[in-house]
Amino acid sequence: MAPGSSACKEVVESYSTVSDYEIATAELETISKPTRATNGSGGQQGIYSTNGVHELLECPVCTCLMYPPIHQCPNGHTLCSNCKIRVHNCCPTCRYDLGNIRCLALEKVAESLELPCTYQTLGCTDIFPYYSKLKHEQHCRFRPFSCPYAGSECSVTGDIPTLVAHLKDDHKVDMHDGCTFNHRYVKSNPHEVENATWMLTVFNCFGRQFCLHFEAFQLGVAPVYMAFLRFMGDDNEAKKFSYSLEVGANGRKLIWQGIPRSIRDSHKKVRDSQDGLIIQRNMALYFSGGDRQELKLRVTGRIWKEE
């Protein structure tokens, strides 16, 4: 009968929801407590075991680990809060309306887990409580670097050797050995240059790599040229080095001295902070000499290691 069929369906759905809860609880009880050694970096080192529980915490839509609020449909299927919006509040597994049901049991399970850093394959040996893992990964020293090339929006990431090869092979960047440099920048009609980026140059110095940027942009209402250096590594390593830049002609000279910025800081962030040698256009044209119709700037510099 129709009433009987409806009741049967409701019982099946209710049983499915309870089963998901029992599975999560049962797997939680089987999590082993491994022996670990503290490494002093805020995480732990050692063996970890999740017995498949962390698979329950993977969002079925984006496959990323889920963090509160974790949502579930009336049948117990879960997904993350970001994907709940993406699927328009419709369960991607059973097509039921999701509503606003929180999976508190799974959120509680997550509190007991310890998982390795996502960048374990890149060298990070730490494991963290589930809810501390995400914060660590935002600052993990083993996380990949972004490509420092500023001439295009490049999405390539990787370790430093990978990025050096990428810059050379894919962006055709000039590579130079040595800690001193002398570069000439020329533009036939500088009055038309409002936003321009010259070719990036990479220097191999002290066994590390440094990126020299030179570009034109608007600083307020005034057009300027700017040169600055970025270090291919983390900020704590960048602070071990200093550099100077110099430009001049006709008996005048501008000198900049500073610390190279890590490529962890985006090109735009460094440029907008004005952390480099800034040359006003009128001064740049004066340095260029002649009829001031052609930009001809010679930028020299050196890199040294602080003792």
Side-chain angles (χ1 to χ4, degrees):
M1 295 186 299
S5 299
S6 177
C8 179
K9 181 180 179 183
E10 289 175 0
V11 170
V12 170
E13 290 178 353
S14 175
Y15 176 77
S16 173
T17 304
V18 172
S19 296
D20 285 343
Y21 174 86
E22 290 176 347
I23 290 171
T25 306
E27 293 199 17
L28 168 62
E29 292 174 351
T30 60
I31 296 174
S32 61
K33 294 294 184 180
T35 301
R36 299 176 299 276
T38 303
N39 68 0
S41 65
Q44 305 283 342
Q45 282 188 315
I47 301 171
Y48 67 95
S49 175
T50 63
N51 291 324
V53 179
H54 85 278
E55 294 179 5
L56 294 174
L57 290 161
E58 286 185 358
C59 174
V61 178
C62 65
T63 69
C64 295
L65 291 176
M66 296 183 289
Y67 293 86
I70 298 175
H71 297 277
Q72 70 174 20
C73 75
N75 288 327
H77 304 123
T78 57
L79 79 166
C80 71
S81 56
N82 289 334
C83 290
K84 181 176 184 287
I85 299 172
R86 290 170 57 189
V87 299
H88 304 292
N89 210 39
C90 177
C91 176
T93 303
C94 66
R95 300 302 175 185
Y96 267 68
D97 185 33
L98 285 167
N100 291 302
I101 306 172
R102 288 272 294 274
C103 188
L104 299 177
L106 197 55
E107 290 179 10
K108 193 68 176 177
V109 168
E111 288 183 2
S112 67
L113 288 182
E114 290 184 335
L115 296 177
C117 174
T118 297
Y119 308 120
Q120 183 183 41
T121 56
L122 299 178
C124 185
T125 59
D126 294 347
I127 59 175
F128 292 86
Y130 187 80
Y131 292 133
S132 300
K133 176 176 177 286
L134 195 62
K135 183 178 180 180
H136 158 77
E137 289 172 352
Q138 292 173 349
H139 303 283
C140 178
R141 66 188 182 93
F142 292 98
R143 71 191 189 280
F145 293 89
S146 298
C147 174
Y149 191 78
S152 62
E153 293 296 327
C154 183
S155 60
V156 170
T157 62
D159 58 16
I160 298 304
T162 298
L163 289 184
V164 170
H166 164 67
L167 289 170
K168 181 179 180 181
D169 298 336
D170 299 329
H171 293 300
K172 310 303 180 185
V173 167
D174 289 333
M175 301 282 177
H176 295 275
D177 294 323
C179 299
T180 60
F181 47 90
N182 186 333
H183 280 256
R184 191 165 180 259
Y185 298 97
V186 178
K187 189 69 176 178
S188 59
N189 190 350
H191 296 284
E192 296 180 355
V193 179
E194 300 301 331
N195 290 280
T197 300
W198 276 260
M199 180 62 72
L200 179 71
T201 305
V202 174
F203 297 95
N204 296 304
C205 178
F206 299 107
R208 307 307 299 265
Q209 288 74 39
F210 300 82
C211 300
L212 176 64
H213 298 265
F214 185 79
E215 61 187 86
F217 64 98
Q218 289 286 132
L219 185 58
V221 296
V224 299
Y225 298 91
M226 182 176 178
F228 57 93
L229 202 70
R230 287 202 291 166
F231 173 74
M232 295 189 71
D234 283 306
D235 185 61
N236 62 325
E237 295 179 285
K239 292 176 180 177
K240 299 176 182 177
F241 299 91
S242 293
Y243 74 102
S244 65
L245 297 173
E246 181 179 312
V247 62
N250 299 321
R252 283 127 177 119
K253 183 185 298 183
L254 288 177
I255 299 175
W256 164 265
Q257 181 173 319
I259 297 171
R261 295 281 287 271
S262 165
I263 60 171
R264 294 286 190 201
D265 290 335
S266 69
H267 163 267
K268 184 178 184 301
K269 181 178 180 179
V270 178
R271 190 196 72 178
D272 290 351
S273 69
Q274 303 173 41
D275 191 5
L277 175 65
I278 295 178
I279 313 163
Q280 300 292 332
R281 174 174 288 175
N282 286 338
M283 183 60 73
L285 292 176
Y286 188 84
F287 288 155
S288 300
D291 56 6
R292 298 165 62 90
Q293 297 302 308
E294 184 179 40
L295 178 74
K296 292 184 292 185
L297 289 179
R298 186 175 298 279
V299 177
T300 61
R302 69 184 185 95
I303 305 166
W304 65 93
K305 192 170 185 177
E306 297 290 351
E307 297 298 332

